[in-house]
Amino acid sequence: MKKIGIIGYGWLGERIAPALSAHYEIYTTTTTEEKAEKLNAKGLHAILASFPDYQLSGPYPKWDMMESLDVLIITIPISEKSCCVSSLYNRIQNLAAFVGDFKGQMFLMSSTGVYPDLDKEFTEVDIPVEKISGERMIKSKYSQVNILRLGGLMGDNRLLKNYNISNLEAAVNHIHYVDIAGILLNMIENETEGCLYNVTAPLHPSKSQVINAQKNIEDRKGALEVKGKKVLSSKLVSELGYDFQYPDPRTFHNN
């Protein structure tokens, strides 16, 4: 059985792992001993690893599993919003030392937050990898990396109605975790490399429409034009032929 490594077993890792483990053996990292023990008890081969945003006195130790992995998925934050550029550089250097000279298929989970909050539709060509520090640094080290710019992670216990939301008439750019797993499996099977994709549900209703659907409240406003940023996944659909299981965020609560 092929082996997949997931660096950063957080909310997303926990939800994509079951779909991946049906086809692949999972190895992962986490930041607490307690969580590592729980994951190992489930057969997920977890180790402790965190990637500080400062320069270490010596090189960060390489993951001893790297030579055995066929696929690597990086889910830890690689964003200027999480730290300044110099700190981000240090974090990526530590991550790269951990990964080493990996030649297999690789995925970086980025974010649609790279696009500005403007009332327009965005595709990947609007903000290329070279404009985003974290993506650019990873790409320069691993040219084969697939960069997936994920919309707001939703499904399971993450529903818009559970949060204090402003700007209710703005469009949502959400993605159900089931579709993230499906897209990963599609790309792994097709041995896709070096691609940049927006990963958002094809439909972009307003926040209020999504909340009303989740609260089972009838939408009396009808088909009004929804304003705000819309990040399109049309390139992904065209190139991968992927059929979304949850194309409409108004149905994300119907799992």
Side-chain angles (χ1 to χ4, degrees), residues 75-90:
T75 72
I76 63 171
I78 303 293
S79 167
E80 292 177 50
K81 293 182 179 180
S82 62
C83 57
C84 64
V85 174
S86 60
S87 296
L88 180 60
Y89 173 81
N90 290 330

Side-chain angles (χ1 to χ4, degrees), residues 6-252:
I6 301 175
I7 296 180
Y9 196 87
W11 189 91
L12 178 60
E14 183 178 353
R15 282 156 183 81
I16 63 175
L20 298 175
S21 64
H23 308 271
Y24 305 93
E25 193 172 359
I26 306 293
Y27 293 78
T28 189
T29 74
T30 186
T31 56
T32 69
E33 183 104 29
E34 179 184 7
K35 190 170 183 180
E37 290 175 358
K38 290 180 179 178
L39 294 177
N40 280 310
K42 296 179 179 179
L44 293 178
H45 311 292
I47 65 164
L48 288 175
S50 60
F51 305 97
D53 56 8
Y54 53 84
Q55 190 171 11
L56 302 176
S57 57
Y60 198 96
K62 184 179 176 181
W63 194 2
D64 59 8
M65 279 305 304
M66 287 309 308
E67 303 302 329
S68 302
L69 296 178
D70 300 286
V71 179
L72 184 66
I73 301 170
I74 302 170
T75 72
I76 63 171
I78 303 293
S79 167
E80 292 177 50
K81 293 182 179 180
S82 62
C83 57
C84 64
V85 174
S86 60
S87 296
L88 180 60
Y89 173 81
N90 290 330
R91 177 179 295 169
I92 290 176
Q93 289 294 104
N94 291 326
L95 172 65
F98 183 73
V99 171
D101 188 24
F102 183 67
K103 301 297 186 185
Q105 196 178 24
M106 182 184 289
F107 296 87
L108 174 66
M109 302 294 115
S110 186
S111 169
T112 55
V114 302
Y115 299 103
D117 286 323
L118 300 176
D119 186 8
K120 62 169 288 186
E121 295 181 339
F122 287 95
T123 67
E124 293 83 351
V125 298
D126 292 303
I127 307 286
V129 169
E130 292 72 26
K131 296 283 188 180
I132 307 300
S133 297
E135 294 180 358
R136 183 180 69 248
M137 292 179 198
I138 295 290
K139 184 77 171 179
S140 69
K141 293 178 180 294
Y142 306 100
S143 60
Q144 80 273 27
V145 69
N146 295 298
I147 299 173
L148 304 185
R149 291 176 175 168
L150 306 181
L153 304 180
M154 292 291 169
D156 196 7
N157 61 343
R158 282 195 179 182
L159 296 174
L160 206 59
K161 68 176 183 179
N162 298 333
Y163 298 90
N164 185 17
I165 301 298
S166 60
N167 197 14
L168 289 172
E169 298 313 309
V172 300
N173 296 283
H174 289 170
I175 182 68
H176 197 289
Y177 69 86
V178 166
D179 279 309
I180 298 174
I183 289 163
L184 285 169
L185 287 170
N186 176 300
M187 296 179 73
I188 291 169
E189 181 179 348
N190 288 293
E191 300 181 348
T192 306
E193 290 194 338
C195 289
L196 169 66
Y197 290 128
N198 294 331
V199 182
T200 57
L203 298 181
H204 301 269
S206 69
K207 297 175 186 178
S208 63
Q209 288 174 327
V210 173
I211 292 170
N212 285 342
Q214 292 171 357
K215 292 183 175 181
N216 200 27
I217 297 173
E218 183 182 355
D219 186 2
R220 298 180 181 279
K221 295 183 178 180
L224 296 177
E225 182 183 2
V226 179
K227 301 288 188 179
K229 176 172 73 174
K230 297 178 184 177
V231 180
L232 306 183
S233 58
S234 48
K235 179 186 175 187
L236 180 151
V237 172
S238 172
E239 293 186 1
L240 299 183
Y242 182 75
D243 187 16
F244 280 80
Q245 296 183 56
Y246 289 90
D248 189 343
R250 286 169 289 195
T251 68
F252 280 11

